[in-house]
Structures are given as structure tokens and as C-alpha cells.
Amino acid sequence: MIKYIFLLFFSIFLLSGCGDKLSTSTTDDSANITKALLTGTWTAKCSDNTTASTSSKTVLVFSASGDNLTATTTNYSDLSCVTQSSVFTKKLNTLVLGSKSFTSQNQIINKFTAAVADITLEPKTTSVSTSLNISTYCGLTGWSSGTETSIAGLTCGSITYKSQNAAYKDLIQINSEKTFIRLGNTTNLGSSGYPKTLYTVEYFK
């Protein structure tokens, strides 16, 4: 049971942007971010956690209009992103790109705002759903394998998720070659409500 709960926390931190500061000092001042450029699917590499013998992979999907973003982290019970154990999904709508600026790490970025459509968790095996029910994860006891459950507005472990329709602020950065994007570290917010740093995970199209 501990392994599954640890895995869920790992995916939660990954999606919420917890991570080290970027070490690069490159200024990508030639990169302009548009909704047309973002439209489509951006995928991160498989990320393993040797301590828990698990892994995860996150996929960002921007709708054809560029107004909606679905960020899905699939968690695996192995180190190679093969055997699914749970899926964590954050759905945002009414996405609006802000002005171009840069972080203290000299990364050119765009702010963006959106509204939370939903945040869900889906156990993929009976073992995971049983673990979630035993621990009353997010205060719920109706977890079922293969069933997506909304956790928007709920407290799961030490994290309280935004409610549906809540305002959402983040950053997005693209490199000069326009081959990958990064998102903001939403666990490290400034007084404006936007992340102060970027997360190190890179998403490729």
C-alpha cells in the first residue's frame, strides 16, 4: 500500500511543477509562443524513481483552438513506463496567453491564465484502488479500478487541489529551436500568483 501512495505523491509533485531550478542561462529571445504553435501533443520522457521502483510519463495536449490544456501523468509500477498503476489528469480551459517576459534564470517565457475544468485520478489496478480505499485517499472510499474520480477541491495527503472553475496561473517556455516546452513550478509562487521558476521537465512534440 505504501508503494502505491508514494507513487501517487510522486505524480502529484511532477504535475504541480515541483523541481530544481534550471541550471541553464540561455536566453531564448527568438522564441515566440502562440496557440497555433502549442496546438497538439507534447510528451515528456519516462521518468523513473529507483527508490520506489516506479516510473511515470506526462503528456500535455493543447486543443486545436489552443484554448484547452489536458495534462495527463500515467504512473507505472515498474521503472520503464510499461505497467500502468494510475492516471492523474489536470484539465484546464479558457487558456489565455499573456505577454512575453523572462525569469530570474534568463528563460524567456509567457504567462498564461486558465480555469480549472477538472482534476481527476484513476486507479488502473485493483491493488491500487484497494490501497486508496484503505487509506481513504482524498477523503474518499469509493475508488474503483478503471474509474476516473474527480479530486478537484479536495485535500489529498498534504496537497489541496484547486476547485472546478478556479482561476489558474502558470508559465510556459519554449526553446529557440521550438523543439520543447517547459511549464512553471506551481509550488513556488510569487506575490502575483505566478510561478517564480520553471520546472526542469521538457515536453517534446
Side-chain angles (χ1 to χ4, degrees), residues 4-5 21 23 33-34 41 57-59 68 71 78 85 98 120 152 157 167 170 172 174 176 195:
Y4 294 126
I5 299 301
K21 292 183 178 180
S23 58
I33 302 173
T34 64
T41 301
K57 180 185 292 185
T58 300
V59 176
N68 304 315
D78 56 74
S85 59
T120 64
D170 205 344
I172 188 166
I174 193 166
S176 295

PDB file of all heavy atoms in Angstrom, residues 4-5 21 23 33-34 41 57-59 68 71 78 85 98 120 152 157 167 170 172 174 176 195:
ATOM      1  N   TYR A   4       2.082   2.341  -3.451  1.00  0.00           N
ATOM      2  CA  TYR A   4       1.119   2.992  -4.317  1.00  0.00           C
ATOM      3  C   TYR A   4       0.868   4.433  -3.912  1.00  0.00           C
ATOM      4  O   TYR A   4       0.754   5.321  -4.740  1.00  0.00           O
ATOM      5  CB  TYR A   4      -0.200   2.201  -4.326  1.00  0.00           C
ATOM      6  CG  TYR A   4      -0.071   0.835  -4.953  1.00  0.00           C
ATOM      7  CD1 TYR A   4      -0.458  -0.311  -4.278  1.00  0.00           C
ATOM      8  CD2 TYR A   4       0.451   0.701  -6.247  1.00  0.00           C
ATOM      9  CE1 TYR A   4      -0.328  -1.560  -4.853  1.00  0.00           C
ATOM     10  CE2 TYR A   4       0.587  -0.547  -6.824  1.00  0.00           C
ATOM     11  CZ  TYR A   4       0.191  -1.684  -6.132  1.00  0.00           C
ATOM     12  OH  TYR A   4       0.318  -2.910  -6.695  1.00  0.00           O
ATOM     13  N   ILE A   5       0.768   4.676  -2.593  1.00  0.00           N
ATOM     14  CA  ILE A   5       0.547   6.037  -2.135  1.00  0.00           C
ATOM     15  C   ILE A   5       1.751   6.911  -2.467  1.00  0.00           C
ATOM     16  O   ILE A   5       1.622   8.044  -2.902  1.00  0.00           O
ATOM     17  CB  ILE A   5       0.279   6.062  -0.618  1.00  0.00           C
ATOM     18  CG1 ILE A   5      -0.989   5.254  -0.318  1.00  0.00           C
ATOM     19  CG2 ILE A   5       0.129   7.490  -0.128  1.00  0.00           C
ATOM     20  CD1 ILE A   5      -2.226   5.745  -1.019  1.00  0.00           C
ATOM     21  N   LYS A  21      15.650  24.251  -9.800  1.00  0.00           N
ATOM     22  CA  LYS A  21      15.733  25.387 -10.696  1.00  0.00           C
ATOM     23  C   LYS A  21      16.564  25.018 -11.920  1.00  0.00           C
ATOM     24  O   LYS A  21      17.433  24.163 -11.868  1.00  0.00           O
ATOM     25  CB  LYS A  21      16.383  26.573  -9.981  1.00  0.00           C
ATOM     26  CG  LYS A  21      15.537  27.168  -8.860  1.00  0.00           C
ATOM     27  CD  LYS A  21      16.225  28.374  -8.266  1.00  0.00           C
ATOM     28  CE  LYS A  21      15.375  29.007  -7.183  1.00  0.00           C
ATOM     29  NZ  LYS A  21      16.023  30.198  -6.588  1.00  0.00           N
ATOM     30  N   SER A  23      19.420  25.121 -14.545  1.00  0.00           N
ATOM     31  CA  SER A  23      20.829  25.498 -14.415  1.00  0.00           C
ATOM     32  C   SER A  23      21.313  26.295 -15.621  1.00  0.00           C
ATOM     33  O   SER A  23      22.320  26.965 -15.566  1.00  0.00           O
ATOM     34  CB  SER A  23      21.687  24.234 -14.268  1.00  0.00           C
ATOM     35  OG  SER A  23      21.513  23.382 -15.382  1.00  0.00           O
ATOM     36  N   ILE A  33       5.759  32.335 -28.393  1.00  0.00           N
ATOM     37  CA  ILE A  33       4.792  31.282 -28.128  1.00  0.00           C
ATOM     38  C   ILE A  33       3.409  31.737 -28.587  1.00  0.00           C
ATOM     39  O   ILE A  33       2.931  32.806 -28.196  1.00  0.00           O
ATOM     40  CB  ILE A  33       4.759  30.937 -26.632  1.00  0.00           C
ATOM     41  CG1 ILE A  33       6.151  30.501 -26.159  1.00  0.00           C
ATOM     42  CG2 ILE A  33       3.738  29.840 -26.351  1.00  0.00           C
ATOM     43  CD1 ILE A  33       6.257  30.293 -24.655  1.00  0.00           C
ATOM     44  N   THR A  34       2.791  30.939 -29.448  1.00  0.00           N
ATOM     45  CA  THR A  34       1.439  31.210 -29.917  1.00  0.00           C
ATOM     46  C   THR A  34       0.583  29.968 -29.695  1.00  0.00           C
ATOM     47  O   THR A  34       1.104  28.856 -29.537  1.00  0.00           O
ATOM     48  CB  THR A  34       1.422  31.552 -31.418  1.00  0.00           C
ATOM     49  OG1 THR A  34       1.869  30.404 -32.155  1.00  0.00           O
ATOM     50  CG2 THR A  34       2.331  32.738 -31.718  1.00  0.00           C
ATOM     51  N   THR A  41       0.154  17.554 -29.276  1.00  0.00           N
ATOM     52  CA  THR A  41       0.571  16.734 -28.140  1.00  0.00           C
ATOM     53  C   THR A  41       2.060  16.890 -27.855  1.00  0.00           C
ATOM     54  O   THR A  41       2.888  16.770 -28.755  1.00  0.00           O
ATOM     55  CB  THR A  41       0.265  15.246 -28.406  1.00  0.00           C
ATOM     56  OG1 THR A  41      -1.140  15.095 -28.636  1.00  0.00           O
ATOM     57  CG2 THR A  41       0.675  14.375 -27.227  1.00  0.00           C
ATOM     58  N   LYS A  57       5.067   9.072 -16.780  1.00  0.00           N
ATOM     59  CA  LYS A  57       5.239   9.828 -18.021  1.00  0.00           C
ATOM     60  C   LYS A  57       4.074  10.803 -18.138  1.00  0.00           C
ATOM     61  O   LYS A  57       2.917  10.435 -17.940  1.00  0.00           O
ATOM     62  CB  LYS A  57       5.257   8.909 -19.231  1.00  0.00           C
ATOM     63  CG  LYS A  57       5.437   9.644 -20.564  1.00  0.00           C
ATOM     64  CD  LYS A  57       5.321   8.701 -21.750  1.00  0.00           C
ATOM     65  CE  LYS A  57       6.482   7.739 -21.806  1.00  0.00           C
ATOM     66  NZ  LYS A  57       6.438   6.889 -23.031  1.00  0.00           N
ATOM     67  N   THR A  58       4.398  12.070 -18.452  1.00  0.00           N
ATOM     68  CA  THR A  58       3.369  13.107 -18.555  1.00  0.00           C
ATOM     69  C   THR A  58       3.210  13.565 -19.999  1.00  0.00           C
ATOM     70  O   THR A  58       4.185  13.759 -20.713  1.00  0.00           O
ATOM     71  CB  THR A  58       3.715  14.309 -17.665  1.00  0.00           C
ATOM     72  OG1 THR A  58       3.807  13.878 -16.305  1.00  0.00           O
ATOM     73  CG2 THR A  58       2.646  15.392 -17.772  1.00  0.00           C
ATOM     74  N   VAL A  59       1.966  13.737 -20.409  1.00  0.00           N
ATOM     75  CA  VAL A  59       1.629  14.186 -21.757  1.00  0.00           C
ATOM     76  C   VAL A  59       0.759  15.437 -21.659  1.00  0.00           C
ATOM     77  O   VAL A  59      -0.209  15.483 -20.890  1.00  0.00           O
ATOM     78  CB  VAL A  59       0.875  13.091 -22.539  1.00  0.00           C
ATOM     79  CG1 VAL A  59       0.449  13.609 -23.914  1.00  0.00           C
ATOM     80  CG2 VAL A  59       1.732  11.845 -22.682  1.00  0.00           C
ATOM     81  N   ASN A  68      -7.716  24.990 -24.620  1.00  0.00           N
ATOM     82  CA  ASN A  68      -7.801  23.976 -23.575  1.00  0.00           C
ATOM     83  C   ASN A  68      -6.499  23.194 -23.468  1.00  0.00           C
ATOM     84  O   ASN A  68      -5.839  22.920 -24.477  1.00  0.00           O
ATOM     85  CB  ASN A  68      -8.952  23.002 -23.859  1.00  0.00           C
ATOM     86  CG  ASN A  68     -10.282  23.715 -24.017  1.00  0.00           C
ATOM     87  OD1 ASN A  68     -10.610  24.597 -23.233  1.00  0.00           O
ATOM     88  ND2 ASN A  68     -11.040  23.334 -25.034  1.00  0.00           N
ATOM     89  N   ALA A  71      -3.337  17.897 -19.070  1.00  0.00           N
ATOM     90  CA  ALA A  71      -2.039  17.355 -18.652  1.00  0.00           C
ATOM     91  C   ALA A  71      -2.289  16.028 -17.952  1.00  0.00           C
ATOM     92  O   ALA A  71      -2.955  15.980 -16.916  1.00  0.00           O
ATOM     93  CB  ALA A  71      -1.344  18.325 -17.709  1.00  0.00           C
ATOM     94  N   ASP A  78       6.636  -0.093 -12.548  1.00  0.00           N
ATOM     95  CA  ASP A  78       7.968  -0.553 -12.930  1.00  0.00           C
ATOM     96  C   ASP A  78       8.818   0.664 -13.275  1.00  0.00           C
ATOM     97  O   ASP A  78       8.339   1.795 -13.226  1.00  0.00           O
ATOM     98  CB  ASP A  78       7.885  -1.508 -14.127  1.00  0.00           C
ATOM     99  CG  ASP A  78       7.165  -0.876 -15.302  1.00  0.00           C
ATOM    100  OD1 ASP A  78       7.764  -0.005 -15.973  1.00  0.00           O
ATOM    101  OD2 ASP A  78       5.982  -1.206 -15.534  1.00  0.00           O
ATOM    102  N   SER A  85      -0.360   1.880 -13.302  1.00  0.00           N
ATOM    103  CA  SER A  85      -0.946   1.708 -11.975  1.00  0.00           C
ATOM    104  C   SER A  85      -2.016   2.772 -11.686  1.00  0.00           C
ATOM    105  O   SER A  85      -3.001   2.484 -11.004  1.00  0.00           O
ATOM    106  CB  SER A  85       0.134   1.753 -10.894  1.00  0.00           C
ATOM    107  OG  SER A  85       0.832   2.983 -10.934  1.00  0.00           O
ATOM    108  N   GLY A  98      -0.372  35.317 -21.997  1.00  0.00           N
ATOM    109  CA  GLY A  98      -0.043  36.684 -21.610  1.00  0.00           C
ATOM    110  C   GLY A  98       1.166  37.199 -22.358  1.00  0.00           C
ATOM    111  O   GLY A  98       1.583  36.636 -23.370  1.00  0.00           O
ATOM    112  N   THR A 120      -8.520  14.893 -11.927  1.00  0.00           N
ATOM    113  CA  THR A 120      -9.014  13.544 -11.664  1.00  0.00           C
ATOM    114  C   THR A 120      -7.888  12.547 -11.398  1.00  0.00           C
ATOM    115  O   THR A 120      -6.735  12.771 -11.774  1.00  0.00           O
ATOM    116  CB  THR A 120      -9.845  13.014 -12.848  1.00  0.00           C
ATOM    117  OG1 THR A 120      -8.987  12.884 -14.004  1.00  0.00           O
ATOM    118  CG2 THR A 120     -10.986  13.954 -13.180  1.00  0.00           C
ATOM    119  N   ALA A 152     -10.892  17.480  -7.629  1.00  0.00           N
ATOM    120  CA  ALA A 152     -10.850  18.941  -7.627  1.00  0.00           C
ATOM    121  C   ALA A 152     -11.453  19.460  -6.321  1.00  0.00           C
ATOM    122  O   ALA A 152     -12.520  19.016  -5.899  1.00  0.00           O
ATOM    123  CB  ALA A 152     -11.619  19.499  -8.818  1.00  0.00           C
ATOM    124  N   GLY A 157      -3.512  13.863   0.885  1.00  0.00           N
ATOM    125  CA  GLY A 157      -2.233  13.925   1.572  1.00  0.00           C
ATOM    126  C   GLY A 157      -1.992  15.345   2.055  1.00  0.00           C
ATOM    127  O   GLY A 157      -2.818  15.929   2.744  1.00  0.00           O
ATOM    128  N   ALA A 167      -9.504  29.924 -10.782  1.00  0.00           N
ATOM    129  CA  ALA A 167      -8.502  30.557 -11.647  1.00  0.00           C
ATOM    130  C   ALA A 167      -7.167  29.838 -11.509  1.00  0.00           C
ATOM    131  O   ALA A 167      -6.793  29.393 -10.425  1.00  0.00           O
ATOM    132  CB  ALA A 167      -8.354  32.023 -11.276  1.00  0.00           C
ATOM    133  N   ASP A 170       0.028  30.123 -14.644  1.00  0.00           N
ATOM    134  CA  ASP A 170       1.245  29.343 -14.858  1.00  0.00           C
ATOM    135  C   ASP A 170       2.137  30.060 -15.866  1.00  0.00           C
ATOM    136  O   ASP A 170       1.778  31.114 -16.396  1.00  0.00           O
ATOM    137  CB  ASP A 170       0.886  27.937 -15.353  1.00  0.00           C
ATOM    138  CG  ASP A 170       1.950  26.902 -15.043  1.00  0.00           C
ATOM    139  OD1 ASP A 170       3.095  27.288 -14.712  1.00  0.00           O
ATOM    140  OD2 ASP A 170       1.656  25.693 -15.141  1.00  0.00           O
ATOM    141  N   ILE A 172       4.844  29.275 -19.330  1.00  0.00           N
ATOM    142  CA  ILE A 172       5.244  28.307 -20.354  1.00  0.00           C
ATOM    143  C   ILE A 172       6.439  28.885 -21.101  1.00  0.00           C
ATOM    144  O   ILE A 172       6.470  30.075 -21.415  1.00  0.00           O
ATOM    145  CB  ILE A 172       4.070  27.988 -21.312  1.00  0.00           C
ATOM    146  CG1 ILE A 172       4.438  26.842 -22.250  1.00  0.00           C
ATOM    147  CG2 ILE A 172       3.626  29.213 -22.100  1.00  0.00           C
ATOM    148  CD1 ILE A 172       3.248  26.254 -22.965  1.00  0.00           C
ATOM    149  N   ILE A 174       9.423  28.073 -24.259  1.00  0.00           N
ATOM    150  CA  ILE A 174       9.810  27.251 -25.402  1.00  0.00           C
ATOM    151  C   ILE A 174      11.232  27.627 -25.790  1.00  0.00           C
ATOM    152  O   ILE A 174      11.626  28.797 -25.687  1.00  0.00           O
ATOM    153  CB  ILE A 174       8.842  27.439 -26.591  1.00  0.00           C
ATOM    154  CG1 ILE A 174       9.063  26.351 -27.650  1.00  0.00           C
ATOM    155  CG2 ILE A 174       8.973  28.820 -27.212  1.00  0.00           C
ATOM    156  CD1 ILE A 174       7.937  26.263 -28.662  1.00  0.00           C
ATOM    157  N   SER A 176      14.572  28.187 -28.308  1.00  0.00           N
ATOM    158  CA  SER A 176      14.699  28.924 -29.572  1.00  0.00           C
ATOM    159  C   SER A 176      14.408  28.053 -30.785  1.00  0.00           C
ATOM    160  O   SER A 176      13.862  28.517 -31.784  1.00  0.00           O
ATOM    161  CB  SER A 176      16.113  29.513 -29.700  1.00  0.00           C
ATOM    162  OG  SER A 176      16.340  30.479 -28.706  1.00  0.00           O
ATOM    163  N   PRO A 195       4.198  31.264 -10.981  1.00  0.00           N
ATOM    164  CA  PRO A 195       5.440  30.611 -10.539  1.00  0.00           C
ATOM    165  C   PRO A 195       6.641  31.534 -10.716  1.00  0.00           C
ATOM    166  O   PRO A 195       6.695  32.327 -11.659  1.00  0.00           O
ATOM    167  CB  PRO A 195       5.540  29.395 -11.468  1.00  0.00           C
ATOM    168  CG  PRO A 195       4.136  29.121 -11.894  1.00  0.00           C
ATOM    169  CD  PRO A 195       3.506  30.479 -12.018  1.00  0.00           C
TER     170      PRO A 195
END
